[in-house]
Amino acid sequence: MMHLAEMLTFSGRKVVAAWASLPFPARPGCLLPDALCAHPQAVPWKLLSPCRARKVSGCFAQSVVLRGVCKERKPPASPLHACGSTEEALQRYLHTLFPGALSTSHVLEQPCHTQPPYPQFFSPLLTRQGFLLDKPPRYPSAAVESIPVLAALQSAPLLRTLLRGLYTELQRLKTRRWASFFSAGVEQGDFQEALEELRTLSQAYETGGEADESEDEADSD
């Protein structure tokens, strides 16, 4: 995970955000282009990192892995269906939603297995293979045995808010009041230097509009 994060960060960045779609919203027998075309404006994943979600999605670099979705072919009904492989379809989809970003993607046939002791917290709208149904079945189905999953690590501007907030909270600490705070041998000067490095790191995730906002925040500080 650490090495993968290093591959996605550049220009002074060191942190990535985690996203996941568990399960990935696909219907029984659904092809990957069908599932992707159902979400033309935003990838159907949820943010796992403690950042505030942005209205406009965007990123600098990302690595996306999808597993457990059918790879069968059928006559093309869209540019995504015309792709030569599911890997190509996912890559084109990511480039459409995140133009200019460095995106790597992988598609695996094997789903994520969810047999015991995996917790059964799934909706009754899921089949045993983790695919979505239009309505709950008439009779309770067996436990979900596997699910398709999409997961991603992303170097994105939303991390600026997380890092900036962490810097602000640490800056408010009255460390001199806590005699045990530096008992591990950390000097006050080292602590202040680390704070400045954190602030510099947050600025590495700024885009054009955020840079102006950051200057205003600096003036208010």
Side-chain angles (χ1 to χ4, degrees), residues 26-33 67-73 86 107-109 131 148:
R27 301 190 179 281
C30 177
L31 302 181
L32 178 57
R67 57 186 300 178
V69 176
C70 183
K71 286 191 172 187
E72 295 178 1
R73 300 292 306 279
T86 50
V107 178
L108 309 175
E109 292 188 27
F131 293 102

Side-chain angles (χ1 to χ4, degrees), residues 86-144:
T86 50
E87 288 84 356
E88 182 182 345
L90 179 57
Q91 189 73 9
R92 176 176 292 188
Y93 178 72
L94 293 173
H95 280 310
T96 300
L97 291 184
F98 305 97
L102 171 64
S103 296
T104 64
S105 60
H106 303 277
V107 178
L108 309 175
E109 292 188 27
Q110 189 73 16
C112 178
H113 295 289
T114 57
Q115 292 98 338
Y118 200 96
Q120 289 294 313
F121 48 63
F122 301 108
S123 165
L125 290 175
L126 289 185
T127 67
R128 293 174 62 182
Q129 289 73 39
F131 293 102
L132 290 174
L133 298 172
D134 292 327
K135 58 182 179 180
R138 178 176 299 180
Y139 302 103
S141 59
V144 177

Side-chain angles (χ1 to χ4, degrees), residues 37-50:
C37 287
H39 303 275
Q41 302 299 325
V43 176
W45 56 26
K46 298 294 184 181
L47 182 62
L48 304 182
S49 300

